[in-house]
Amino acid sequence: MNHRARHVSESWSITEQRELDRLVRWALAEDVGRGDITTRALVPSAALGRARIIARQSCVVCGVRCVEAVFGQLERRVEVRPVVRDGDRVRAGATCVRIQGPARALLTGERTALNFLQRLSGIATFTWEFVRRVRRYRTVILDTRKTTPGWRNLEKYAVRCGGGRNHRQGLWDAVLIKDNHRRCWSQDGSSRTLADAVHVARRAYPGRTIEIEVDTLDELRDALNGRPDWILLDNMSLPELRKCVREVRGRVRLEASGG
């Protein structure tokens, strides 16, 4: 039994597809190398097979596209029939994908396909656990740039499948002023406020989202004078977060991170 997550985004860009194709090529080259010698030794080339991918535990499925991509690159005669779609929540024991075709290809590609499916489903499921806990509040779960190198688009897609939202894609699409930026900016010893940093960033990149990190309530008050789009409350305790929410009163978006 499975059901569709209500807030799944099924958008899949050409860029994401190209990244997936590239990652699949690398993954197959890494695992298969010059050939699957065990399968070649034991399995006749004409043998056909059928396989199912089954969920061992309840989860949010993500990576069905990856399974299709793996077998599509490995052997065109393999037929991949998804039973569920990315973003579906399934119970333990549910069949997620049915596969049939040359047995050699099924054996050679199974681990690579599962590596994609298991990792992305893990991210989607973990995201959904957080989303489920905060859904009665006006709170959303955002992702970060702390992604596996080369996997950013796929892992951010998994976050969407779990009901979370994508935040910054990279360093180019939004300004996030962190404490290290501020230290380098004011290393000449001059007195500069957080509001000044927001104003400088706004002049340099008008039209871009401006976010600034704060560590204390006083820093929050300083940053508010710059009228940023977001303020990041970094590593604060719950009582500190409550004070900051009361102070802001909805004037800017707040992000809580760390701890």
Side-chain angles (χ1 to χ4, degrees), residues 117-154:
L117 186 65
Q118 290 172 334
R119 178 166 183 78
L120 296 178
S121 295
I123 293 171
T125 303
F126 196 55
T127 301
W128 168 244
E129 285 301 312
F130 284 95
V131 169
R132 181 179 60 81
R133 294 182 189 189
V134 302
R135 60 184 171 180
R136 59 177 172 167
Y137 308 105
R138 292 196 303 168
T139 303
V140 298
I141 300 299
L142 302 173
D143 58 18
T144 72
R145 289 170 41 244
K146 297 174 183 177
T147 53
T148 305
W151 280 61
R152 179 161 299 176
N153 281 325
L154 286 181

Side-chain angles (χ1 to χ4, degrees), residues 4-257:
R4 189 77 178 147
R6 287 182 299 173
H7 26 236
V8 146
S9 170
E10 288 197 343
S11 60
W12 187 258
S13 68
I14 294 175
T15 299
E16 288 170 324
Q17 186 60 51
R18 287 173 177 168
E19 179 176 293
L20 173 57
D21 292 339
R22 173 174 53 83
L23 287 173
V24 167
R25 283 195 299 273
W26 287 353
L28 287 172
E30 176 182 65
D31 198 41
V32 180
R34 289 176 288 181
D36 177 358
I37 60 175
T38 307
T39 297
R40 286 179 178 177
L42 298 176
V43 180
S45 60
L48 300 177
R50 297 175 183 268
R52 290 188 298 155
I53 297 179
I54 299 171
R56 291 283 184 89
Q57 64 188 60
S58 298
C59 65
V60 177
V61 176
C62 181
V64 173
R65 297 172 187 265
C66 302
V67 175
E68 295 173 319
V70 167
F71 288 106
Q73 288 193 27
L74 192 61
E75 170 57 77
R76 293 184 179 180
R77 291 177 294 167
V78 172
E79 180 184 354
V80 178
R81 295 169 51 204
V83 179
V84 299
R85 295 179 295 174
D86 287 345
D88 282 351
R89 297 194 296 275
V90 302
R91 295 174 182 173
T95 296
C96 298
V97 184
R98 298 181 186 276
I99 310 167
Q100 63 182 30
R104 282 187 173 184
L106 269 56
L107 291 167
T108 298
E110 65 172 332
R111 173 43 54 198
T112 298
L114 288 172
N115 284 347
F116 280 101
L117 186 65
Q118 290 172 334
R119 178 166 183 78
L120 296 178
S121 295
I123 293 171
T125 303
F126 196 55
T127 301
W128 168 244
E129 285 301 312
F130 284 95
V131 169
R132 181 179 60 81
R133 294 182 189 189
V134 302
R135 60 184 171 180
R136 59 177 172 167
Y137 308 105
R138 292 196 303 168
T139 303
V140 298
I141 300 299
L142 302 173
D143 58 18
T144 72
R145 289 170 41 244
K146 297 174 183 177
T147 53
T148 305
W151 280 61
R152 179 161 299 176
N153 281 325
L154 286 181
E155 291 182 344
K156 283 180 171 284
Y157 172 70
V159 167
R160 298 200 305 272
C161 286
R165 296 187 189 176
N166 296 153
H167 199 17
R168 287 197 301 166
Q169 182 68 20
L171 294 173
W172 70 88
D173 58 351
V175 173
L176 174 51
I177 306 167
K178 298 177 71 69
D179 50 1
N180 287 337
H181 296 107
R182 287 155 35 197
R183 290 190 187 100
C184 294
W185 181 54
S186 354
Q187 61 184 351
D188 59 2
S190 59
S191 177
R192 293 172 174 172
T193 67
L194 301 187
D196 291 335
V198 173
H199 291 316
V200 169
R202 185 82 71 192
R203 286 195 297 270
Y205 294 99
R208 298 292 179 92
T209 298
I210 309 294
E211 181 171 5
I212 187 165
E213 176 186 276
V214 302
D215 299 320
T216 65
L217 184 59
D218 286 339
E219 287 188 350
L220 172 72
R221 290 168 176 155
D222 181 1
L224 279 171
N225 291 326
R227 302 181 68 180
D229 301 295
W230 291 72
I231 295 179
L232 169 58
L233 309 176
D234 188 47
N235 287 299
M236 290 189 179
S237 66
L238 287 176
E240 289 173 320
L241 290 173
R242 293 189 180 99
K243 290 179 182 177
C244 290
V245 170
R246 287 194 293 267
E247 181 74 25
V248 169
R249 301 190 307 278
R251 285 176 286 174
V252 299
R253 291 184 176 184
L254 291 176
E255 176 186 352
S257 179

